[in-house]
Amino acid sequence: MAVDLLLGLQWGDEGKGKIVDVLTKNYDVIARFQGGPNAGHTLEFDGIKHVLHTIPSGIFHDNATNVVGNGVVIDPVVFKKELENLEPFNIDFRSKLLISRKAHLILPTHRLLDAASEAVKGKAKIGSTLKGIGPTYMDKTGRNGIRVGELELSTWKKTYRSLADKHEKMIAFYDVAIEYDLKSLEAEFFEAVEYIKQLEFIDSEEYLHQTQKSGKSILAEGAQGSLLDIDFGTYPFVTSSNTTAAGACTGLGVAPNKIGEVFGIFKAYTTRVGSGPFPTELFDQDGETMGRVGNEFGSTTGRSRRCGWLDLVALKYAVQVNGVTQLMMMKGDVLSGFEKLKVCTSYNYNGKVIEHLPYSILEENVTPMYKEFAGWKEDLTQLTAENELPENFMNYVLFLEKELEVPISIISVGPDRKQTIHR
Ligand code: GDP
Ligand code: IMO
Ligand code: MG
C-alpha cells in the first residue's frame, strides 16, 4: 500500500499531532520522518492533554505501531522523559515503538553548541528551541554524527568521547560565556541511553518496506512546517531538516512513487515562534485576541507565538512544494467573534504585485495585500457537521478551497479529538 503523508504547511504548530491522532485508526504504522525534540505535538482526548516531542502521535492507539525514522534526531534525555510521562497509560513500548538504527543522537554538547551559536548571533539569532537540532544535523551532514545503531557496539562510548571533546573545543572557540557542568549532563545522558536501550532498534527502511509489501498502511508524520524547511523555508530562520514531502522519502527510505495522499495541515490564521520574517504578523488587538483565544504558546518552549492573518501566497507555495492532495483546516473556532477577517492574497514586492513566494519576504521587500471577509459570531466548538457551520465561515472555507485548488477534507473546531468535522 502507498504511504500517506501528513505535514504542516506554515511555520509549525498547525495541529499535526491532533490530526495524526484522529487518523491513526485507519493506519497500521505511524512513522516520524524528521525533526526531533524541537517539535511539540499536542493531542487531547478524555479530558487529558498530551504533548509529544519525539514519539509519533499514534502512540495512544492499540492498533498502531510507531516508528521513529532515520531522518529524526533523538535526544535520549528528552525521549526518556517522554516515555516516563506516558507510564500511567500502560503503553507497551517494547512492541509498539520502534527506533531506526540510522537516526542520529543529540548529545549534551550539541545542545551547548546550539546555545553558543545563538548567543553569538545576538539580535540575529534564529530563535532556536535550543534542543541541539542544528548542531546535530550539522554533524550528520558533516559525517561526524553518532547514530542509534552505534549504541549496540561496545566501542560507542569511545566514539562519544572523541566527538564530545571536539565539541568542547568548538564551544570554547565561540566568543561567548556558556556555563555548563558536562559531568552532570553526561551522567544524565548515559542513564537515558541505558533506558532507551530497552526499546527495539530496527533497520527501519527494511521494516517499512516489508510493511508496505504485506499490504499494511503507513502514515508518515512530519514535524515543523514547510516554511521552516531548510531549502524552501525562510532561510536562515528555519530548522535544519527537510520538513516538506521529499523529507519523508529521505527520512524513512520510502520511494517517491510509493507516496499516496499528502495531507496538508494549516491554521485558519498564521502563527510563528522564534525569529524571522512574517509578512501578515499583527501587532494590534486582533493579534492579541488570536494569541489569547488560540492559546498560542509554544508546546516545547512555552514561548508566545507571534500571530497574524492567513497568508495565502505562502500557503499556495507550500501546497505546491508538497503536492498536497487534501487540506485540513485547524482552529477556525479561534476566529469566532472577529467583525472582519483578512486573507493575504498577494504581495507588493518592491512595487510590483506578485502572487508567488519570492526569494526574500523581509519586511523591507514585501507588503501584504488583503481581501476582507465578514466574520461570524457563533461558537463553533460544539459543532459536529458541515451543515451546522455558519454561512460566513463556509464562505471563508470555500474561498480558500477554490484558491488552493485542493479540497479541505477536515475542519477542526477545537483541540479535542472529537472536535473534528469530516467533510
Ligand atoms: P503541532 O505541532 O502541529 O502538533 O501543533 P501544536 O500541538 O504545537 O499546536 C497546536 C495547538 O492547537 C495545540 O495546543 C492543540 O491542542 C490546539 N488545537 C489543535 N486543533 C485545534 C482547533 O481546531 N481549535 C483549537 N482551539 N485548538 C486546536
Ligand atoms: P512542531 O513540530 C514551531 C522553530 C523555532 C525556530 C526555528 C529553528 O511542533 O510544529 P530549531 O530548534 O529547529 O533549530 O529552531 O524553528 N521551530 C518550530 N516552530 N513548531 C515546531 O515544531 C518547531 N520546531 C522548530 O522556534 O524559530
Ligand atoms: Mg508544535
Side-chain angles (χ1 to χ4, degrees), residues 31-341:
R32 269 281 300 273
F33 61 86
Q34 46 66 237
N38 49 349
H41 294 181
T42 314
L43 287 65
E44 257 187 72
F45 53 87
D46 301 339
I48 305 177
K49 177 171 152 172
H50 305 272
V51 181
L52 300 170
H53 303 287
T54 326
I55 298 176
S57 301
I59 198 71
F60 293 100
H61 293 253
D62 290 334
N63 62 302
T65 303
N66 291 261
V67 174
V68 179
N70 59 278
V72 175
V73 290
I74 299 176
D75 184 336
V77 177
V78 178
F79 204 49
K80 175 172 178 271
K81 280 192 197 126
E82 278 188 78
L83 291 166
E84 285 169 348
N85 286 343
L86 295 180
E87 258 167 26
F89 303 95
N90 287 325
I91 294 163
D92 179 11
F93 295 117
R94 263 304 291 175
S95 64
K96 282 192 55 190
L97 183 58
L98 308 171
I99 305 183
S100 173
R101 289 199 173 89
K102 293 196 172 85
H104 278 246
L105 291 173
I106 302 177
L107 312 187
T109 42
H110 282 131
R111 272 185 269 135
L112 298 171
L113 281 167
D114 204 357
S117 163
E118 285 285 79
V120 85
K121 284 193 164 122
K123 273 197 176 151
K125 71 176 182 186
I126 308 292
S128 138
T129 58
L130 301 179
K131 302 292 177 190
I133 303 295
T136 306
Y137 279 114
M138 278 165 73
D139 269 341
K140 175 179 176 174
T141 51
R143 296 161 295 178
N144 296 311
I146 301 182
R147 299 184 292 176
V148 166
E150 188 95 21
L151 301 176
E152 294 172 324
L153 308 178
S154 59
T155 48
W156 89 267
K157 279 205 177 159
K158 218 172 127 202
T159 318
Y160 167 85
R161 187 76 273 141
S162 81
L163 186 56
D165 286 350
K166 182 176 146 199
H167 287 163
E168 276 215 281
K169 289 190 193 118
M170 290 163 70
I171 294 163
F173 178 78
Y174 280 105
D175 196 15
V176 284
I178 297 281
E179 284 191 18
Y180 60 92
D181 173 1
L182 190 55
K183 279 266 165 316
S184 87
L185 291 174
E186 283 181 342
E188 181 187 44
F189 177 74
F190 291 136
E191 192 192 326
V193 164
E194 288 313 312
Y195 187 89
I196 67 163
K197 277 185 174 172
Q198 298 171 61
L199 300 174
E200 192 177 348
F201 300 161
I202 59 164
D203 296 333
S204 54
E205 64 278 30
E206 170 64 12
Y207 174 85
L208 294 172
H209 181 69
Q210 293 305 337
T211 303
Q212 280 175 77
K213 236 179 135 180
S214 65
K216 290 188 178 162
S217 53
I218 301 172
L219 178 65
E221 173 180 2
Q224 290 78 55
S226 301
L227 302 177
L228 289 170
D229 183 279
I230 183 73
D231 284 283
F232 301 107
T234 47
Y235 193 89
F237 301 101
V238 292
T239 190
S240 296
S241 63
N242 281 116
T243 59
T244 44
C249 296
T250 57
L252 294 174
V254 170
N257 64 347
K258 295 290 191 298
I259 302 288
E261 296 288 327
V262 180
F263 304 123
I265 315 291
F266 72 102
K267 275 181 194 169
Y269 49 99
T270 311
T271 64
R272 173 164 208 173
V273 221
S275 330
F278 180 178
T280 61
E281 183 168 11
L282 289 166
F283 301 94
D284 59 6
Q285 192 57 46
D286 286 338
E288 192 275 325
T289 305
M290 283 174 193
R292 181 171 36 79
V293 179
N295 194 24
E296 296 295 356
F297 297 96
S299 317
T300 296
T301 58
R303 290 178 291 176
S304 294
R305 295 178 184 145
R306 300 153 65 192
C307 296
W309 298 119
L310 189 67
D311 184 340
L312 203 51
V313 178
L315 198 53
K316 273 184 187 167
Y317 177 77
V319 166
Q320 273 168 21
V321 168
N322 292 301
V324 172
T325 61
Q326 288 186 45
L327 288 159
M328 290 155 189
M329 189 176 99
M330 316 300 290
K331 298 191 113 166
D333 55 295
V334 173
L335 298 181
S336 292
F338 279 82
E339 200 71 37
K340 282 214 160 65
L341 300 171

